[in-house]
Amino acid sequence: MTPDELSGLLAAFPATSLGHFPTPIDATPRLGGKLGLGLSVKRDDATGLAFGGNKVRQLEFYFGKALAQNADTVLITGAVQSNYVRTAAAAAAKLGLRCHVQLEDRVPLYNESYVNSGNTLLNKLLGAIVHTYPEGEDEAGADARLHEIADEDRRNGFNPYVIPLGPGNPPTGGLGYVACAIELAQQVDDIESFDAFVVPSGSGMTHGGFLVGLRAMGIKTPVYGICVRRGADVQAERIVNNCQNIEELLGAPSTVTAVDVNTSDAVLSPGYGQLNDATFEAVLMAARTEGLMLDTVYSGRALAGLVHLADKGVIAAGSKVLFLHTGGTPALFGYSEVLNDRLAIEIPAE
Ligand SMILES: *Cc1c(COP(=O)(O)O)cnc(C)c1O
């Protein structure tokens, strides 16, 4: 399929414009030099809306749906420092909709900045109605609570739209990363000159959508998903499912199979949202070689994953690699105690 043909399939879905596209691609020779790679970075942290990030692309399709249903309120659930939640709150504000956000207790971190700075501060500034959910690994339960809040809104005369993110819901957000693959193919002279793409892999709508988009256009370049929440095998299964669901939703031929899905969990420990040495070092490396800010939950971990793949030779020395920077930078401030503790060790006091 040509990029135009694939765009034609996407055009069947209602979408609303929220961000700045195309996002730039930066040459990052000093960072690439450290890794022994010809590295560039696609700046999806720079999607424009309220500090940007990958959720802007995904939400263009969810809010398109919400508006098509004449919703006056949207509801979304996520981790306390969720970028999805913050970006949805911003999109709702921009479109004049009410927004309920539900913050799940997913990360065992209760200091001042994690609870009150970064994205949680932004949610309040953006005017979202904030709820909390006491469990971290109960996707179905968190969704059910969101639907209860929506029911209550309905009784009060509102028309709510729940942004459904759990497995079993249509992979609407994945369409945003099909669009990103098209954008990339149209933006570079020769997309097939890249040897590898590296993306973080969480819910897998970014990884899945991007992979579906590439393969639908006949681009066979490997895509490495760096696991940020689940182990590599579980995540690979999830991505295969996501891809099939996205292809089905799009009405595209089924092209992605298990051999297309690469996942690495080498830098996942000790778990979602918890800083480890490799991620801390990756955040410093990007900051100090390129002035490029990554976050500790997603993009820093993804770079740490790339460092690991390059070290192990999975991505060969000298390869031309595109790293997808998915944003998340406001969450850095939610980790300020954690980061300052690390920096105090790295830079001993006089
Ligand atoms: C949500 C998020 C991801 C993961 O994207 P998925 O589509 O959920 O896999 C990566 N990076 C950032 C900054 C995010 O906020």
Side-chain angles (χ1 to χ4, degrees), residues 154-177:
R154 257 180 229 108
R155 286 194 291 275
N156 290 322
F158 293 107
N159 182 18
Y161 174 79
V162 174
I163 298 179
L165 301 177
N169 289 296
T172 304
L175 301 176
Y177 273 85

Side-chain angles (χ1 to χ4, degrees), residues 39-335:
L39 185 68
S40 47
V41 177
K42 180 146 174 79
R43 297 290 306 274
D44 270 15
D45 58 318
T47 51
L49 179 68
F51 298 101
N54 63 338
K55 300 316 182 316
V56 177
R57 290 191 196 269
Q58 303 190 23
L59 288 170
E60 290 200 333
F61 288 92
Y62 284 112
F63 276 82
K65 257 185 150 172
L67 293 179
Q69 296 174 19
N70 291 315
D72 55 22
T73 303
V74 296
L75 298 92
I76 189 164
T77 187
V80 170
Q81 284 293 340
S82 166
N83 302 300
Y84 221 155
V85 162
R86 174 253 310 166
T87 317
K94 182 176 168 70
L95 298 169
L97 310 181
R98 296 164 72 241
C99 186
H100 291 281
V101 307
Q102 174 173 275
L103 305 182
E104 303 161 20
D105 195 357
R106 228 187 259 174
V107 181
L109 199 57
Y110 304 99
N111 60 39
E112 169 62 21
S113 62
Y114 190 78
V115 176
N116 285 323
S117 186
N119 286 313
T120 52
L121 173 64
L122 298 176
N123 294 336
K124 289 187 261 182
L125 293 174
L126 290 161
I129 307 160
V130 181
H131 308 258
T132 56
Y133 189 76
E135 300 285 331
E137 290 302 332
D138 177 16
E139 277 181 298
D143 284 351
R145 258 285 303 279
L146 216 52
H147 283 284
E148 283 169 25
I149 300 168
D151 286 342
E152 164 121 36
D153 263 5
R154 257 180 229 108
R155 286 194 291 275
N156 290 322
F158 293 107
N159 182 18
Y161 174 79
V162 174
I163 298 179
L165 301 177
N169 289 296
T172 304
L175 301 176
Y177 273 85
V178 174
C180 178
I182 298 169
E183 176 182 299
L184 179 65
Q186 291 174 331
Q187 182 177 24
V188 298
D189 288 337
D190 177 13
I191 191 167
E192 296 190 271
S193 69
F194 288 99
D195 300 305
F197 300 113
V198 177
V199 304
S201 196
S203 76
M205 284 302 148
T206 300
H207 185 181
F210 190 65
L211 188 54
V212 165
L214 292 178
R215 295 297 185 268
M217 293 183 290
I219 300 155
K220 298 273 183 259
T221 313
V223 177
Y224 293 93
I226 308 302
C227 299
V228 298
R229 188 161 173 199
R230 298 172 197 82
D233 293 344
V234 178
Q235 187 66 10
E237 245 176 76
R238 189 180 179 105
I239 299 302
V240 171
N241 285 334
N242 283 354
C243 289
Q244 285 167 355
N245 293 337
I246 294 165
E247 287 169 338
E248 208 171 293
L249 180 67
L250 263 178
S254 170
T255 49
V256 178
T257 64
V259 297
D260 294 293
V261 175
N262 301 299
T263 53
S264 167
D265 61 8
V267 296
L268 178 58
S269 171
Y272 176 81
Q274 300 184 55
L275 187 60
N276 57 28
D277 293 345
T279 300
F280 179 65
E281 282 157 23
V283 167
L284 295 191
M285 199 194 297
R288 293 173 184 189
T289 56
E290 300 287 350
L292 181 69
M293 302 318 299
L294 304 177
D295 81 297
T296 51
V297 182
Y298 295 105
S299 50
R301 200 178 293 264
L303 180 64
L306 170 55
V307 170
H308 172 85
L309 294 175
D311 276 354
K312 295 286 169 217
V314 176
I315 296 179
S319 295
K320 183 177 169 185
V321 176
L322 184 107
F323 176 77
L324 181 70
H325 186 337
T326 50
T329 44
L332 263 185
F333 302 101
Y335 283 78

